[in-house]
Amino acid sequence: MARTSRRRGRAQETGLSSLVGSRAGRHESRSSRAAKPKKEGFLRRVTNHWWDRLISSVFSGSISQQSEQYLSHQTTRDYVCNSIGQACWGGFFPLLTIVATQFVGAENAGLFSMAMVVGTLLFFVGNYGVRTYQVSDIDEMDSFYDYQVNRIATCVAMVLIGLLYCRIRGYNGDMTAIVCGVMGFRFFDALGDVYEGRLQQKDKLYLAGISQAVRCALSFVVFTVLLFITRNMVAASIGMAVGAGASFVLLTLPLALMETERSLPLTWRGVKEIFVNCFPLFLAAFLYNLIDSMPKFAIEGVLSYDNQLYYNAMYFPAHAILMAAAMIYKPQLLRLASIWDDPEQHKRFDLIILAMMGVIAGITVIVGLFMGWLGIPIMSFLYGLDFEQFRPLVYVMVVNGGICAAIDFLYQIITVLREQQAVSRLYLIAFAFSVPVLWLLVGFSGLSGAVVGAVVVMSILLVLLLSEYFAIRKRLERY
């Protein structure tokens, strides 16, 4: 009996010690798992690496002398990241207007839409049409310092013109502040473009696309958060500019300096050369966007600001046609240039032009069908407004988008033929025609007049460009 009790005691002790040991083992296992560091995500790892690199370069006192860490000639990355950057840039305005409409209503969103129209037009003053010229300067006939000085001068001119416009237009304090906030964003957008152009010039287009995407994303987040918290459009607009400035200082500028070699010395001859050679490109881009913006200026002069929002919301599907077509033909421009250089392939060149026009027409039809099926209900849901009442105008605006895409494609082709100097004259004619026509139509028919007037003016410009293209082709074929 005693022996049995001792056995039971030993068994209980053994069981107790086993239980304690297993619990201690599990506790130790949990502690070791807790002590083991978690694996960082890709985005966090890249961000931390960039921050460490940026801080070390700042303390070393020489950002431009840092060794490059990202490879060039990454074709797939170039295409994907540049497409993402372009999509962010193109969708930035539509998304902001949706956010503004939801948080502060159609009237205030219309004020912001008009400020974005002014800011975007001023962007082309700051940009000055230099990007393509800079990227194609492979032999660096003009130094990067030359391009930077040129861009700083055009961006300062952009700000001065914007302030002068606000004064002439007689905007009140809030509207002037909103325009200044938008202009601040476009200032850093245009200034950052010359550094992104440097990255593209050195065959690192994917880094330029990332820079552009981050600038738009950060500005969008800051704008949205501030507008949600304050319900104040002035604060949100200024915050958007601050977000763009932070992105420029922390990413765009150091990325271009660290990932490209040191620039050749500054020459004032080079700065002057850039101004002179890029003036036709600037004039063409500015006039086209001015013509495109004329209905919006006409609306501002006659109608309430909620009409500004309605017009821009209907314009975004049309802009999507332009962007979709550009993503198809712009990567092929170099190939088209090589085809044109071979006289025996001129007929093939003409067939490609005809085919692309067919593609643009097809995209326009698809967008029109989509808008008639789901597009208009989706717009009504996103904006919280009734767009069903504007269904006929939406269809007209989609047609306008197809015409604008054809215009842009023809301009690129005429540039490939090295006859772009002839385009500015055509844009001046279209602009002179647009001013009285749009003001009359908007005055008589309101928002409907603005949409119809836009189609009329762009159709005239398309006919002028087509006639000029056929004249150029006929003249060049004789040589």
Side-chain angles (χ1 to χ4, degrees):
M1 187 74 178
R3 193 178 301 151
T4 303
S5 299
R6 284 197 296 271
R7 284 174 183 166
R8 286 176 180 172
R10 283 197 297 270
Q12 289 175 352
E13 289 175 4
T14 304
L16 183 60
S17 62
S18 298
L19 181 60
V20 172
S22 64
R23 286 179 176 173
R26 286 198 297 269
H27 179 71
E28 184 179 352
S29 176
R30 288 195 197 100
S31 300
S32 63
R33 283 198 300 268
K36 187 177 180 180
K38 293 182 179 180
K39 186 177 180 180
E40 286 185 332
F42 172 76
L43 184 60
R44 185 176 180 181
R45 188 169 65 252
V46 170
T47 304
N48 289 338
H49 170 72
W50 172 254
W51 181 251
D52 292 340
R53 187 183 175 196
L54 182 61
I55 292 298
S56 63
S57 65
V58 170
F59 278 109
S60 68
S62 182
I63 295 179
S64 60
Q65 292 183 1
Q66 298 296 311
S67 58
E68 299 176 24
Q69 295 188 12
Y70 300 110
L71 298 174
S72 60
H73 196 58
Q74 302 292 302
T75 307
T76 303
R77 288 184 187 178
D78 284 346
Y79 183 81
V80 172
C81 293
N82 184 59
S83 297
I84 293 173
Q86 289 293 314
C88 290
W89 196 87
F92 185 71
F93 186 9
L95 289 174
L96 287 178
T97 55
I98 291 172
V99 169
T101 306
Q102 292 289 350
F103 288 162
V104 294
E107 184 73 18
N108 286 319
L111 286 170
F112 178 72
S113 296
M114 190 63 227
M116 283 296 291
V117 170
V118 175
T120 301
L121 191 59
L122 289 170
F123 167 80
F124 289 96
V125 176
N127 182 274
Y128 201 72
V130 170
R131 177 67 175 264
T132 303
Y133 182 87
Q134 176 190 7
V135 169
S136 60
D137 187 10
I138 300 174
D139 297 326
E140 293 195 55
M141 302 302 293
D142 300 304
S143 74
F144 183 44
Y145 277 130
D146 297 342
Y147 287 105
Q148 290 179 80
V149 171
N150 165 269
R151 187 57 56 91
I152 291 171
T154 56
C155 286
V156 170
M158 158 191 165
V159 172
L160 294 176
I161 293 171
L163 294 174
L164 180 62
Y165 174 80
C166 290
R167 186 176 181 82
I168 293 174
R169 185 65 184 78
Y171 286 145
N172 60 26
D174 284 350
M175 185 59 179
T176 299
I178 294 171
V179 171
C180 286
V182 171
M183 189 165 56
F185 170 80
R186 289 304 185 193
F187 174 90
F188 289 110
D189 200 20
L191 188 61
D193 179 75
V194 77
Y195 295 94
E196 291 159 1
R198 176 65 167 175
L199 290 166
Q200 186 179 1
Q201 185 186 32
K202 296 303 176 181
D203 205 10
K204 295 183 178 181
L205 179 60
Y206 67 100
L207 296 178
I210 292 171
S211 170
Q212 188 177 46
V214 169
R215 178 168 60 251
C216 293
L218 181 60
S219 298
F220 174 79
V221 170
V222 173
F223 177 91
T224 302
V225 170
L226 284 176
L227 192 61
F228 175 74
I229 294 173
T230 66
R231 294 298 198 275
N232 188 301
M233 188 61 70
V234 173
S237 300
I238 299 299
M240 179 178 66
V242 172
S247 171
F248 174 79
V249 172
L250 297 177
L251 180 65
T252 307
L253 176 62
L255 188 63
L257 296 181
M258 287 192 285
E259 287 300 320
T260 62
E261 65 265 25
R262 193 176 181 87
S263 171
L264 297 172
L266 171 69
T267 63
W268 293 110
R269 176 200 57 79
V271 176
K272 179 182 177 181
E273 190 175 79
I274 294 170
F275 272 109
V276 173
N277 291 342
C278 292
F279 180 75
L281 300 172
F282 153 70
L283 186 62
F286 181 79
L287 284 174
Y288 171 77
N289 284 277
L290 181 59
I291 294 167
D292 192 42
S293 301
M294 284 309 298
K296 304 166 189 177
F297 286 113
I299 290 173
E300 185 187 31
V302 178
L303 306 176
S304 59
Y305 276 104
D306 56 337
N307 288 277
Q308 196 71 242
L309 173 68
Y310 290 131
Y311 182 93
N312 282 297
M314 289 187 288
Y315 178 80
F316 295 141
H319 185 65
I321 297 172
L322 178 62
M323 290 185 62
M327 290 181 68
I328 295 173
Y329 64 73
K330 283 192 174 180
Q332 303 299 321
L333 291 177
L334 183 61
R335 180 168 166 262
L336 282 170
S338 63
I339 292 173
W340 175 254
D341 286 339
D342 185 356
E344 295 182 358
Q345 298 205 51
H346 282 187
K347 288 185 178 179
R348 183 186 173 197
F349 183 87
D350 291 334
L351 288 174
I352 293 174
I353 304 303
L354 186 62
M356 190 63 220
M357 285 294 193
V359 169
I360 292 173
I363 294 173
T364 305
V365 171
I366 291 171
V367 172
L369 292 173
F370 175 78
M371 293 305 297
W373 178 38
L374 292 175
I376 294 176
I378 290 174
M379 286 174 60
S380 299
F381 172 76
L382 290 175
Y383 286 92
L385 302 169
D386 179 22
F387 280 93
E388 188 63 39
Q389 58 181 318
F390 301 122
R391 180 174 287 270
L393 294 182
V394 171
Y395 293 143
V396 175
M397 192 65 88
V398 168
V399 173
N400 185 48
I403 295 171
C404 290
I407 289 171
D408 187 65
F409 175 62
L410 278 175
Y411 172 70
Q412 300 295 335
I413 294 303
I414 292 173
T415 303
V416 167
L417 300 179
R418 293 295 184 263
E419 296 287 337
Q420 63 268 22
Q421 66 277 2
V423 172
S424 299
R425 174 177 53 86
L426 304 182
Y427 285 161
L428 281 170
I429 293 171
F431 171 69
F433 178 81
S434 69
V435 174
V437 168
L438 284 167
W439 250 265
L440 285 172
L441 285 174
V442 171
F444 281 115
S445 304
L447 184 61
S448 300
V451 176
V452 173
V455 175
V456 170
V457 171
M458 288 301 178
S459 297
I460 291 172
L461 181 56
L462 178 60
V463 171
L464 290 173
L465 280 172
L466 280 171
S467 61
E468 186 67 29
Y469 169 72
F470 288 128
I472 291 170
R473 280 289 286 109
K474 186 176 180 180
R475 183 173 69 253
L476 293 177
E477 204 61 45
R478 288 200 296 262
Y479 296 103

